[in-house]
Amino acid sequence: MKERGPVFVTAFSPLSMIIVAILGSIVLEENFYLGMLIGAVVIVSGLYLVVWGKSKDVEHLKHHEEQ
């Protein structure tokens, strides 16, 4: 958290919902619906965009510090 900041840490919070859905499907034999799959894809792509944007922000800050 010291290196990346609070945005990076809180971005991974929705990932736990995906893990619970997968484990519930495997362990408890719950049905896996199309809506769950679409939601998981949206969450993962949003997580990727946050991490990608944060890495670009860090690169931008490092570039300005060097000058």
Side-chain angles (χ1 to χ4, degrees):
M1 188 165 151
K2 287 182 180 180
E3 292 178 21
R4 300 286 182 166
V7 173
F8 190 77
V9 175
T10 56
F12 284 96
S13 179
L15 195 59
S16 64
M17 291 187 295
I18 295 172
I19 294 170
V20 167
I22 292 170
L23 287 177
S25 178
I26 293 170
V27 175
L28 301 176
E29 297 178 5
E30 294 177 346
N31 293 332
F32 202 75
Y33 297 105
L34 180 62
M36 293 171 68
L37 182 63
I38 293 171
V41 168
V42 168
I43 289 172
V44 169
S45 55
L47 174 65
Y48 175 77
L49 287 174
V50 167
V51 171
W52 176 76
K54 189 66 176 172
S55 69
K56 292 293 184 184
D57 188 36
V58 169
E59 285 178 14
H60 184 70
L61 289 174
K62 285 183 181 179
H63 180 69
H64 282 298
E65 287 177 0
E66 290 175 356
Q67 294 179 354

